[in-house]
C-alpha cells in the first residue's frame, strides 16, 4: 500500500472508469475501496470432467463484492479446493468492479435511490430487466439479484426475469450485466450542450444573393 501511496498518479477511483483504464491488479481496488468492500459467496458448485480413470471433480465459486454505495463486482473461479476457488473468485470480482449509476423514480428529491431508467442484462437464456421503483418500495426481486442490487447501493427497484433462472451463475451474470448497463445508457441529462452553427446557405447568403454573371472564356493561344 505504501508503494501505491508513493507512486499514485490517480487520486480517485472514478478517474479509472472515466478514462476506461484496464485494472490489472486487485490491489488497485483495495487501495481505493478496500475498507468499504464486502464480499459474499453466492454459490459453490462441484463440476466434473470425465477421464479414463473416472471423474475429476473441481469446485466452482461465485462471489459478489460491493461497497453498498455505487460499486459492484462479480467473480467466478474454478479450482480443486473450495478455499482456493473462493480466494480466486474474490480477486476476479475485485478486477471486475464497476461504477453503478443511480437515479430517481419521479422528482429529483433527496439522494438517488433506484435505477435511472429501465435496463436489461442477458446471460445464456436468463434475461433480467430492472425497472425504476418509487421510494419506499424496496427491492422486489428474487434472492440472487436482491443481493447484487443491495450491494450495488440500490434501495428501490422492480425486477423482471425470464429464462432458466435456476441456473444461479447465469442469473447472477445477467443481473450484473443489467447493473453495468446503467452507465452505458446515455440519458438526455448527460447530453453535452449543443453549439448550433449556421448552415453554409445562411453563412454565405450575401454571396449567394448576387446575380450570377457568366465570365467570357479566355482564348488560349498555343
Amino acid at each position: 500500500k505504501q508503494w501505491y501511496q508513493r507512486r499514485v498518479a490517480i487520486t480517485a477511483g472514478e478517474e479509472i472508469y472515466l478514462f476506461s483504464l484496464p485494472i490489472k491488479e486487485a490491489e488497485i481496488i483495495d487501495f481505493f475501496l478496500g475498507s468499504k468492500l464486502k464480499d459474499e459467496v453466492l454459490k459453490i458448485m462441484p463440476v466434473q470432467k470425465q477421464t479414463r480413470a473416472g471423474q475429476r471433480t473441481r469446485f466452482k465459486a461465485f462471489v459478489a463484492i460491493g461497497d453498498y454505495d455505487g460499486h459492484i463486482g462479480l467473480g467466478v473461479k474454478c479450482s480443486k479446493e473450495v478455499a482456493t476457488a473462493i480466494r480466486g473468485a474474490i480477486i476476479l470480482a475485485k478486477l471486475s468492479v464497476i461504477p453503478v449509476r443511480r437515479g430517481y423514480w419521479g422528482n429529483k428529491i433527496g439522494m438517488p435511490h433506484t435505477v435511472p431508467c429501465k435496463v436489461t442484462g442477458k446471460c445464456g437464456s436468463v434475461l433480467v430487466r430492472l425497472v425504476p421503483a418509487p421510494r419506499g418500495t424496496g427491492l422486489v426481486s428474487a434472492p440472487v439479484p436482491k443481493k447484487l442490487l443491495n450491494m450495488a447501493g440500490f434501495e428501490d427497484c422492480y425486477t423482471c426475469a425470464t429464462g432458466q433462472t435456476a441456473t444461479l451463475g447465469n442469473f447472477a451474470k445477467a443481473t450484473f450485466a443489467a447493473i453495468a448497463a446503467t452507465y452505458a445508457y446515455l440519458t438526455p441529462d448527460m447530453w453535452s450542450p449543443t453549439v448550433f452553427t449556421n448552415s453554409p446557405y445562411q453563412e454565405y447568403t450575401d454571396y449567394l444573393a448576387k446575380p450570377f454573371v457568366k465570365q467570357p472564356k479566355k482564348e488560349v493561344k498555343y
Side-chain angles (χ1 to χ4, degrees), residues 14-190:
E14 299 311 315
E15 287 182 41
I16 295 170
Y17 303 114
L18 181 64
F19 298 105
S20 301
L21 303 176
I23 299 168
K24 299 289 182 75
E25 294 179 20
E27 287 78 13
I28 295 169
I29 296 297
D30 286 332
F31 177 76
F32 290 115
L33 303 170
S35 58
K36 299 178 189 173
L37 285 177
K38 301 281 185 293
D39 56 74
E40 189 169 337
V41 179
L42 298 176
K43 189 178 185 181
I44 295 165
M45 57 183 285
V47 291
Q48 291 182 325
K49 180 184 178 183
Q50 189 70 39
T51 60
R52 281 187 298 176
Q55 289 99 5
R56 189 191 68 182
T57 305
R58 293 199 298 171
F59 297 96
K60 195 176 185 181
F62 295 89
V63 173
I65 197 164
D67 64 352
Y68 295 85
D69 190 27
H71 295 91
I72 182 109
L74 182 69
V76 183
K77 180 70 176 173
C78 199
S79 183
K80 289 179 184 177
E81 295 177 12
V82 174
T84 318
I86 292 171
R87 208 178 307 119
I90 289 170
I91 290 167
L92 291 173
K94 284 178 181 176
L95 292 175
S96 70
V97 165
I98 54 164
V100 177
R101 186 175 173 215
R102 288 168 290 178
Y104 300 89
W105 174 79
N107 292 334
K108 293 179 172 64
I109 300 169
M111 297 297 287
H113 61 100
T114 185
V115 286
C117 55
K118 293 174 186 175
V119 285
T120 308
K122 194 172 190 297
C123 182
S125 70
V126 183
L127 186 138
V128 174
R129 189 173 189 231
L130 306 180
V131 180
R135 206 181 287 276
T137 305
L139 299 172
V140 183
S141 167
V144 175
K146 197 169 196 172
K147 282 179 186 174
L148 290 167
L149 290 167
N150 192 26
M151 280 184 158
F154 292 111
E155 295 168 24
D156 313 288
C157 187
Y158 292 125
T159 62
C160 169
T162 59
Q164 192 68 24
T165 53
T167 313
L168 186 140
N170 285 356
F171 202 8
K173 284 179 183 177
T175 309
F176 183 70
I179 292 170
T182 54
Y183 259 120
Y185 197 85
L186 186 66
T187 50
D189 58 333
M190 293 176 75

